[in-house]
Amino acid sequence: VIGSDEVFNCTQSNLDVGYSPQLFGYENSAEKLITYAASFGSTTIEKLDKYGKTTEISNLLKEFDAISVRDKNSHDIIKTLTAIDPIDSIDPVLLYDFSNEVDNIDVDLSNYIVVYAYSERINKIEAEAIQAFAHSKGKKTLSIGVKQSFTDLYVNVDPFTLLAYIKNADYVITDTFHGTVFSIKYQIPFATLIRPSNIEKLSDLLEKFGLSSRTVNDASNIKDVCTEEIDKLNILKLLKTYRESAITYLKDNL
């Protein structure tokens, strides 16, 4: 099983990543080869053409026994390169409940807003808007994992404790795919600041759950987006449907 997430994102500017044909199944000796919720991330067919990898990747993808992707951009690339119509699947964090691992964790904090973002991506205007919103609600801001210099509090915790902090938060403000996933998982009111590097995945994720209105394109909208009511019942209904589809795909192919 190859995946999940950005295993096919092979044209990133990050020099630590690069192109690895093994992530496309090259030299794989397994009797069966599938993906789960794989993504091309910010990679597009135009970028594959630019680097002369379109034909090679097309041929490798055609050797898969089954392909599951997590976003429309990846779906369209697979279909264009192989004529295969891949299965659309959700992130594993949404696939599994984690209640046994998370519910017994005691979070010794209340009345807070989680800020979950990559380092140095939240600019001064966004930071000021986040703090202004928090102060208007009488809440502390908490950054997790990556310390944001403007937040009131910071913790660095294991993954299950991270989920516990998200589950008990009043709001989540994030610029990441998984920060958005965590918020959807626990139906926490949230705002997502979309960046050029994740617009393909994030826009599709939000659309799948009827949450496109949680997008922030202007820092001045953070308060309005966060305080917009979130349709918890619709999210739970969609989660159930997407989980059933993903489990069926895995059972059929493992």
Side-chain angles (χ1 to χ4, degrees):
V1 181
I2 291 181
S4 61
D5 213 4
E6 298 194 10
V7 289
F8 293 158
N9 193 2
C10 57
T11 62
Q12 298 181 56
S13 58
N14 184 347
L15 297 178
D16 293 329
V17 182
Y19 169 63
S20 173
Q22 284 75 19
L23 291 178
F24 292 89
Y26 178 68
E27 292 183 331
N28 192 286
S29 59
E31 293 181 7
K32 194 168 190 179
L33 180 65
I34 72 171
T35 72
Y36 180 78
S39 178
F40 277 89
S42 59
T43 291
T44 62
I45 287 181
E46 291 75 21
K47 291 179 181 178
L48 294 178
D49 287 341
K50 175 183 175 180
Y51 291 103
K53 291 297 179 181
T54 307
T55 300
E56 180 180 348
I57 288 175
S58 173
N59 290 335
L60 288 169
L61 290 171
K62 288 174 183 176
E63 296 300 315
F64 280 81
D65 294 286
I67 298 179
S68 149
V69 295
R70 67 171 57 206
D71 57 85
K72 185 178 185 300
N73 177 57
S74 302
H75 186 117
D76 292 345
I77 292 175
I78 297 289
K79 195 167 184 179
T80 299
L81 295 185
T82 67
I84 296 168
D85 200 9
I87 299 295
D88 295 317
S89 301
I90 54 175
D91 186 274
V93 175
L94 295 173
L95 185 61
Y96 181 62
D97 184 66
F98 293 111
S99 58
N100 290 334
E101 293 84 357
V102 172
D103 289 355
N104 293 324
I105 295 174
D106 182 27
V107 174
D108 187 22
L109 186 65
S110 61
N111 210 32
Y112 63 95
I113 298 172
V114 167
V115 179
Y116 190 79
Y118 286 109
S119 177
E120 299 179 359
R121 287 214 311 202
I122 292 184
N123 62 41
K124 182 180 178 181
I125 294 173
E126 291 167 345
E128 289 175 350
I130 292 169
Q131 285 299 85
F133 168 59
H135 292 159
S136 74
K137 291 291 185 178
K139 300 185 184 301
K140 298 287 188 179
T141 50
L142 169 72
S143 53
I144 307 178
V146 173
K147 187 174 184 178
Q148 308 293 336
S149 60
F150 65 89
T151 59
D152 302 306
L153 304 167
Y154 164 72
V155 293
N156 189 15
V157 295
D158 64 79
F160 296 140
T161 305
L162 163 63
L163 291 180
Y165 272 104
I166 298 286
K167 189 174 183 177
N168 288 280
D170 296 302
Y171 302 96
V172 174
I173 299 172
T174 184
D175 74 345
T176 74
F177 181 85
H178 280 99
T180 306
V181 164
F182 302 151
S183 306
I184 292 172
K185 182 177 184 67
Y186 295 118
Q187 301 91 60
I188 306 300
F190 70 95
T192 297
L193 297 89
I194 291 185
R195 312 298 189 188
S197 60
N198 59 22
I199 188 170
E200 301 289 354
K201 288 197 307 176
L202 267 174
S203 296
D204 184 69
L205 173 69
L206 291 169
E207 185 178 339
K208 275 187 170 74
F209 284 92
L211 296 169
S212 296
S213 63
R214 314 305 301 196
T215 301
V216 171
N217 295 311
D218 188 308
S220 63
N221 294 331
I222 287 175
K223 179 177 180 179
D224 290 339
V225 172
C226 280
T227 54
E228 178 185 327
E229 187 176 351
I230 194 162
D231 192 339
K232 295 182 179 183
L233 290 178
N234 188 55
I235 292 174
L236 291 171
K237 179 182 176 182
L238 290 169
L239 269 175
K240 183 175 184 293
T241 299
Y242 293 145
R243 281 171 176 165
E244 289 173 350
S245 173
I247 291 296
T248 298
Y249 168 79
L250 290 171
K251 284 184 175 179
D252 287 347
N253 291 289
L254 290 178

